[in-house]
Amino acid sequence: MKIKGVIFDMDGVILDSEKLYVRFWSEAGRACGYNFERKHALAIRSMARPFAVSKLKSFFGDDFNYDDVRNKRIELMSEYIEKNGIDTKHYAEEILSYLKENGYKTAIATATPPERTEKYLKQVGLYDYFDELISASMVENGKPAPDIYKFASAKLSLSPENCIAVEDSPNGVQSASSAGCVTVMVPDMDSPDDEVIKKVYRVADNLKELENIIEEINGGKRNA
């Protein structure tokens, strides 16, 4: 097994935006009349729309209006980012520079729509580091299904086994691991439970640790 590419989830891994999703899903849900709490927002992290709709209806009933709440969340979050900007996660640019300098292919695999993915990455100056930007809208089934990681690795002309997938959420870990990627979790909003830990190659404290993980697997820097 040799690592030739790295596929990153975006929110909570590259961008410090997962906290915003949790905040504004909760605020939007309450604004629309639902007792929407942090735990409900955490449950749908990285989930593609069909899975998120089903999950939220399991919490709030079949009458839950997903579109109204989602549109309100987008409105609130967009206003916040327009005013305050968006931060990157620690060591995001450093690890992307390392990967580019050492000849590894890189991709984003995200539930975020393509236009917003591109906008956010350009806003923080990281857009040019990625060879491919893959959104859930490009595959039949988004996370936690494996489709997006299989598609992302194919777009990089690699097998999933030759790719590290970097995720922060249980739904993302399920997607990456079931696709056959070497899955590394960098927890963001909460810690992994025993079931999640079984699905990952490593739980890392931060993105910087990816350097050691890659070199551990490959036996040294690729182009050193």
Side-chain angles (χ1 to χ4, degrees), residues 47-144:
M47 269 191 176
R49 178 192 177 97
F51 298 108
V53 170
S54 178
K55 177 65 74 172
L56 291 173
K57 284 187 175 183
S58 76
F59 294 140
F60 300 109
D62 289 339
D63 292 335
F64 179 79
N65 194 321
Y66 178 84
D67 289 327
D68 280 358
V69 178
R70 180 177 180 271
N71 290 338
K72 185 64 176 178
R73 191 270 299 163
I74 291 172
E75 175 191 333
L76 294 172
M77 188 166 162
S78 296
E79 288 175 357
Y80 178 91
I81 292 174
E82 190 69 29
K83 181 178 180 180
N84 300 286
I86 193 166
D87 296 323
T88 59
K89 296 293 289 185
H90 292 310
Y91 304 111
E93 186 164 13
E94 289 88 337
I95 192 60
L96 291 169
S97 295
Y98 165 87
L99 295 171
K100 182 174 283 290
E101 289 167 5
N102 287 279
Y104 294 96
K105 296 180 179 181
T106 56
I108 285 285
T110 180
T112 301
E115 62 276 5
R116 273 194 279 134
T117 298
E118 181 175 335
K119 177 182 178 180
Y120 290 162
L121 291 173
K122 285 182 175 178
Q123 191 170 332
V124 297
L126 298 181
Y127 176 80
D128 291 333
Y129 282 105
F130 294 98
D131 298 300
E132 298 287 346
L133 302 182
I134 309 301
S135 173
S137 61
M138 301 175 183
V139 297
E140 183 175 356
N141 300 297
K143 301 174 188 178

Side-chain angles (χ1 to χ4, degrees), residues 9-222:
D9 178 40
M10 183 174 72
D11 296 296
V13 172
I14 294 297
L15 302 181
D16 193 15
S17 49
E18 207 63 272
K19 63 187 181 184
L20 302 181
Y21 280 98
V22 170
R23 171 183 170 180
F24 292 115
W25 267 115
S26 301
E27 289 187 10
R30 290 193 293 270
C32 293
Y34 302 100
N35 186 26
F36 208 114
E37 301 177 21
R38 184 176 185 270
K39 63 182 180 182
H40 301 127
L42 288 174
I44 61 169
R45 282 180 302 157
S46 293
M47 269 191 176
R49 178 192 177 97
F51 298 108
V53 170
S54 178
K55 177 65 74 172
L56 291 173
K57 284 187 175 183
S58 76
F59 294 140
F60 300 109
D62 289 339
D63 292 335
F64 179 79
N65 194 321
Y66 178 84
D67 289 327
D68 280 358
V69 178
R70 180 177 180 271
N71 290 338
K72 185 64 176 178
R73 191 270 299 163
I74 291 172
E75 175 191 333
L76 294 172
M77 188 166 162
S78 296
E79 288 175 357
Y80 178 91
I81 292 174
E82 190 69 29
K83 181 178 180 180
N84 300 286
I86 193 166
D87 296 323
T88 59
K89 296 293 289 185
H90 292 310
Y91 304 111
E93 186 164 13
E94 289 88 337
I95 192 60
L96 291 169
S97 295
Y98 165 87
L99 295 171
K100 182 174 283 290
E101 289 167 5
N102 287 279
Y104 294 96
K105 296 180 179 181
T106 56
I108 285 285
T110 180
T112 301
E115 62 276 5
R116 273 194 279 134
T117 298
E118 181 175 335
K119 177 182 178 180
Y120 290 162
L121 291 173
K122 285 182 175 178
Q123 191 170 332
V124 297
L126 298 181
Y127 176 80
D128 291 333
Y129 282 105
F130 294 98
D131 298 300
E132 298 287 346
L133 302 182
I134 309 301
S135 173
S137 61
M138 301 175 183
V139 297
E140 183 175 356
N141 300 297
K143 301 174 188 178
D147 304 33
I148 193 167
Y149 277 102
K150 290 182 176 180
F151 185 64
S153 58
K155 292 290 286 184
L156 294 177
S157 299
L158 298 173
S159 298
E161 295 80 6
N162 296 124
C163 296
I164 283 181
V166 190
E167 276 286 352
D168 68 301
S169 71
N171 291 317
V173 165
Q174 175 62 34
S175 175
S177 62
S178 59
C181 295
V182 179
T183 307
V184 174
M185 185 180 191
V186 183
D188 181 33
M189 301 296 292
D190 54 9
S191 299
D193 61 21
D194 290 342
E195 286 303 309
V196 170
I197 290 173
K198 291 176 184 177
K199 299 172 184 175
V200 301
Y201 176 83
R202 188 74 50 80
V203 176
D205 290 331
N206 55 59
L207 290 172
K208 181 71 173 173
E209 291 185 25
L210 282 175
E211 292 184 24
N212 291 334
I213 293 170
I214 292 170
E215 291 174 18
E216 171 187 299
I217 295 172
N218 285 357
K221 289 188 178 180
R222 189 173 179 187

